[in-house]
Amino acid sequence: MKIYTKTGDQGETSLVYGQRVAKDSARVEAYGTCDEANSMIGLAISLLPETSDWTQFETFFQTVQTKLFHVGSELSTPSGKQVAWVVTIEDVQLLEAQIDQMDAELSPLTKFILPGGHRAAATLHLARTIVRRAERNAVTISHLEAVSEYALMYLNRLSDCLFVAARYVNQRTGTNEPTLHQ
């Protein structure tokens, strides 16, 4: 099987179940942004220190990458069609539990922080901003047709999780968090 199909050469692509849409449609923008965020999370994982004490963190974020793929699947499935991989409240709760676990180890926020610090942390901050864009794109779709409430919740919670994860990486690596200068 060849990787290229040539079916998108005229500016259209297929949603799940074959419906053709413009490559700049709201749905394509939304699930494409999820893919972009997913890639950035993968980059962040690759930048973590190469020690075994990051294994649980890496495993968690590989699960997040799978679930983010599922969000993209929901966003690429036309209304009224069966979604292959459904995002659930349990997926959202898993994010919340991880946020709480990481946050319990962090010093309280007393200042606004700037994205940066360790390379993996800075990349997690970038992933966070991409997830926020994916969320905005999904909300745009929700004004026109049904979007899973759990997919929207997942994106919202994931951006929070990535913020806390960036702080967690900075703290665990002993890297200073840049703060807003006033």
Side-chain angles (χ1 to χ4, degrees):
M1 179 175 158
K2 292 185 178 185
I3 191 69
Y4 57 90
T5 63
K6 301 181 184 181
T7 60
D9 291 351
Q10 302 303 312
E12 287 189 345
T13 192
S14 293
L15 297 178
V16 175
Y17 295 103
Q19 179 183 341
R20 300 293 291 172
V21 296
K23 287 188 175 187
D24 63 353
S25 74
R27 280 199 177 276
V28 175
E29 185 65 30
Y31 72 74
T33 305
C34 288
D35 187 39
E36 185 181 345
N38 210 335
S39 296
M40 195 58 63
I41 291 168
L43 177 60
I45 291 169
S46 77
L47 295 172
L48 289 169
E50 293 185 23
T51 59
S52 62
D53 57 333
W54 289 98
T55 303
Q56 182 181 7
F57 188 88
E58 290 175 8
T59 300
F60 171 76
F61 275 102
Q62 288 166 350
T63 298
V64 165
Q65 287 183 284
T66 298
K67 295 302 178 182
L68 193 52
F69 191 87
H70 294 176
V71 172
S73 174
E74 290 214 21
L75 294 171
S76 65
T77 301
S79 289
K81 298 290 186 179
Q82 181 68 37
V83 174
W85 297 301
V86 178
V87 178
T88 66
I89 189 64
E90 290 81 16
D91 297 326
V92 175
Q93 291 167 339
L94 181 64
L95 287 175
E96 292 170 347
Q98 185 69 26
I99 292 168
D100 293 343
Q101 180 183 340
M102 290 185 296
D103 197 46
E105 297 182 34
L106 297 174
S107 55
L109 276 174
T110 58
K111 298 179 182 180
F112 286 105
I113 65 165
L114 299 173
H118 189 277
R119 289 176 303 180
T123 307
L124 288 166
H125 277 296
L126 183 54
R128 173 185 54 81
T129 65
I130 296 168
V131 168
R132 284 284 190 217
R133 181 163 28 101
E135 180 185 17
R136 290 190 302 271
N137 293 336
V139 167
T140 297
I141 296 168
S142 76
H143 294 304
L144 306 171
E145 51 190 294
V147 173
S148 161
E149 67 177 314
Y150 298 127
L152 290 171
M153 288 171 68
Y154 193 87
L155 291 171
N156 184 274
R157 219 63 91 248
L158 178 55
S159 62
D160 295 335
C161 183
L162 291 165
F163 175 80
V164 173
R167 294 194 68 224
Y168 182 80
V169 167
N170 278 333
Q171 182 166 302
R172 284 205 46 209
T173 60
T175 306
N176 289 331
E177 257 181 344
T179 57
L180 184 65
H181 296 214
Q182 297 184 17

